[in-house]
Amino acid sequence: QGLPQKRVSLQQWVANDLQLLKKLGFLNTTREYHGSTQEDEAWYEYQSKSVARGTGSPLGRSLYEIQLRQWLQAVLAIGKRPSDVVLL
């Protein structure tokens, strides 16, 4: 259940999450950053801090590409072909 959270407005909730993403450097838009180890590390740290804060990561929930990329990496890591286990 976690600790009780102070109520904030929707705008403040999103602003707080955006501030965390910026602080972690996750919003880097260069081609070199996209798909890099640094992006993965920032994403894992973001998820960890979001869980610790109990914020629910409102913006992170909409970042589907990195979530799918990491899920596909996990599928490959267990020796499966994504095309064999993913149905679109």
Side-chain angles (χ1 to χ4, degrees), residues 14-62:
V14 171
N16 291 346
D17 203 44
L18 181 60
Q19 181 181 19
L20 178 59
L21 285 166
K22 286 179 180 178
K23 178 181 175 186
L24 298 175
F26 188 75
L27 300 179
N28 184 331
T29 60
T30 63
R31 287 182 185 255
E32 295 79 20
Y33 183 74
H34 178 71
S36 70
T37 302
Q38 291 84 7
E39 184 183 47
D40 287 340
E41 290 170 357
W43 177 250
Y44 288 126
E45 188 172 358
Y46 167 74
Q47 289 179 308
S48 175
K49 289 186 182 291
S50 292
V51 168
R53 289 179 172 190
T55 61
S57 56
L59 297 176
R61 292 179 191 190
S62 66

Side-chain angles (χ1 to χ4, degrees), residues 6 8-9 11 15-16 18-19 27 33 35 38-39 50 56 58 60 64 67 69 76 80-81 83:
K6 178 183 167 188
V8 296
S9 68
Q11 292 81 5
N16 291 346
L18 181 60
Q19 181 181 19
L27 300 179
Y33 183 74
Q38 291 84 7
E39 184 183 47
S50 292
Y64 302 115
Q67 295 174 42
R69 181 168 21 102
L76 291 170
K80 301 278 185 179
R81 289 182 11 195
S83 61

